């Protein structure tokens, strides 16, 4: 089967046409998808209608799946009925309980779960219901952001790590059991190199996680804040980004090792229901 890969024309992202992802993928077709994914970091497949089992089967081509964490499964409702590998991202409340995570708020720029020692390498998101407007998801290319980083900033981060706070979600809510961060220098989380090497492509990418509560050990607080502000102002420039406007049946897979993403808020009176899987990754190096 031949697939068509159509780049977005922006700094990352491509649409893949010619596939029904409920059907088995031959090794050759998967290799072509994987190469397109390495090249473009985010792939879009439109017009898919995947059951949770189909979504899991497709995602497993890329690697072993994470199991949704307690904070997601605690939400009961639809999450309970679903498979443990499926994470529901939704603002819908049923019988007084949210059926998924993240609600209707803006999710700030981040890479998924960088606050753990071995963050997921990829996330796969499939849209079931979307609001009439808002809730768009944007991505930015961290290879390109690093390539274009001014030399003085690059020198400042070579060989340095950053602490990726684990207390707060990308919509600014405290995770279950976490306390508010009063001093970022002692925030819980994982420390990762600020420049990471992609284990499959060998490319070097800026790896910052998320701005909120981040800290660069070895710097005093003011210097860490200044450096992080400069890096985030740089890597979130429109020239590194692409925004996806969802339709029902879209499936996106993104590479957390070399791309960051954010989501717009939307009208909470409308429903947005997305099913997601995550593929295990290794320790950033
Ligand atoms: C996320 O930030 O991982 C969720 C993205 C989305 O809801 O579009």
């Amino acid at each position: 089967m031949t697939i068509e890969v159509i780049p977005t024309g922006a700094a990352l992202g491509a649409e893949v046409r010619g596939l029904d992802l409920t059907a088995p993928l031959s090794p050759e077709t998967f290799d072509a998808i994987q190469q397109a994914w390495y090249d473009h970091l985010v792939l879009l497949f439109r017009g898919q209608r995947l059951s949770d089992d189909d979504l899991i089967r497709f995602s497993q081509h890329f690697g072993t799946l994470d199991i949704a964490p307690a904070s997601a499964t605690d939400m009961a409702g639809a999450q309970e009925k679903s498979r443990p590998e499926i994470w529901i991202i939704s603002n819908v409340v049923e019988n007084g309980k949210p059926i998924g995570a993240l609600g209707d708020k803006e999710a700030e720029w981040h890479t998924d779960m960088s606050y753990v020692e071995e963050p997921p390498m990829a996330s796969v998101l499939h849209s079931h219901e979307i609001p009439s407007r808002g809730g768009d998801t944007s991505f930015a290319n961290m290879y390109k952001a690093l390539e274009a980083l001014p030399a003085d900033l690059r020198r400042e981060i070579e060989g340095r790590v950053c602490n990726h706070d684990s207390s707060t979600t990308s919509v600014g809510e405290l995770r279950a059991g976490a306390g508010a961060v009063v001093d970022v220098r002692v925030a819980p989380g994982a420390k990762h190199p600020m420049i990471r090497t992609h284990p499959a492509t060998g490319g070097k990418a800026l790896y910052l996680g998320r701005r909120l509560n981040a800290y660069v050990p070895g710097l005093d607080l003011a210097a860490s804040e200044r450096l992080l502000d400069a890096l985030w102002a740089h890597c979130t420039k429109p020239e590194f980004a692409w925004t996806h406007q969802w339709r029902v049946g879209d499936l996106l897979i993104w590479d957390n090792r070399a791309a960051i993403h954010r989501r717009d808020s939307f009208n909470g009176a409308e429903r947005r229901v997305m099913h997601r899987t995550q593929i295990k990754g290794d320790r950033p190096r």
Side-chain angles (χ1 to χ4, degrees):
M1 182 180 287
T2 49
I3 62 167
E4 209 184 340
V5 178
I6 300 151
T8 60
L12 73 172
E15 182 180 346
V16 179
R17 292 193 187 152
L19 282 176
D20 169 2
L21 297 181
T22 62
L25 292 178
S26 69
E28 296 73 29
T29 302
F30 176 68
D31 286 350
I33 293 172
Q34 190 175 46
Q35 190 56 55
W37 184 52
Y38 289 154
D39 293 343
H40 300 287
L41 300 178
V42 187
L43 294 184
L44 163 65
F45 302 82
R46 291 230 191 246
Q48 308 293 325
R49 289 285 189 280
L50 302 190
S51 66
D52 285 345
D53 284 348
D54 293 328
L55 179 57
I56 289 169
R57 203 175 309 114
F58 171 70
S59 306
Q60 281 171 335
H61 283 280
F62 293 84
T64 306
L65 302 193
D66 274 338
I67 301 300
S71 55
T73 47
D74 278 354
M75 285 171 181
Q79 185 79 58
E80 269 180 0
K81 291 177 226 135
S82 178
R83 299 271 307 266
E85 298 90 342
I86 299 289
W87 309 37
I88 296 175
I89 307 286
S90 184
N91 64 319
V92 173
V93 176
E94 280 176 3
N95 303 320
K97 283 188 163 179
I99 68 164
L102 298 185
D104 55 20
K105 291 190 192 146
E106 175 186 346
E108 65 173 340
W109 284 110
H110 65 284
T111 183
D112 286 327
M113 288 181 61
S114 62
Y115 53 87
V116 301
E117 297 296 331
E118 297 186 344
M121 68 163 163
S123 304
V124 186
L125 192 61
H126 183 38
S127 57
H128 288 232
E129 296 180 59
I130 55 162
S132 55
R133 52 199 293 267
D136 299 347
T137 308
S138 300
F139 296 88
N141 183 328
M142 295 297 102
Y143 292 134
K144 292 196 171 168
L146 180 66
E147 264 165 39
L149 194 64
D152 56 333
L153 277 181
R154 182 155 181 156
R155 266 195 307 277
E156 280 196 69
I157 63 170
E158 290 280 1
R160 281 204 186 272
V161 298
C162 177
N163 189 57
H164 297 234
D165 167 50
S166 61
S167 65
T168 315
T169 69
S170 55
V171 293
E173 288 164 356
L174 281 182
R175 292 202 164 81
V181 172
V182 286
D183 182 347
V184 294
R185 292 170 295 187
V186 290
K191 293 178 179 49
H192 297 304
M194 299 178 83
I195 299 177
R196 76 177 287 186
T197 305
H198 194 291
T201 67
K204 291 199 181 295
L206 203 51
Y207 192 67
L208 300 179
R210 204 179 33 176
R211 176 64 188 92
L212 184 70
N213 296 335
Y215 173 63
V216 183
L219 296 185
D220 67 38
L221 186 55
S224 169
E225 292 287 302
R226 252 194 325 270
L227 176 58
L228 289 168
D229 283 346
L231 292 168
W232 279 101
H234 169 79
C235 74
T236 55
K237 285 180 184 162
E239 67 222 55
F240 306 124
W242 165 67
T243 296
H244 177 60
Q245 288 176 325
W246 289 92
R247 295 182 200 156
V248 170
D250 286 351
L251 180 143
L252 285 185
I253 175 166
W254 62 84
D255 192 327
N256 284 309
R257 298 165 294 190
I260 56 173
H261 60 282
R262 65 172 294 281
R263 183 192 77 188
D264 291 335
S265 61
F266 56 96
N267 177 358
E270 295 192 57
R271 292 169 63 97
R272 188 177 191 267
V273 181
M274 323 286 277
H275 285 204
R276 174 165 129 179
T277 55
Q278 285 191 176
I279 296 141
K280 283 185 187 296
D282 52 10
R283 178 185 286 273
R285 290 174 206 287

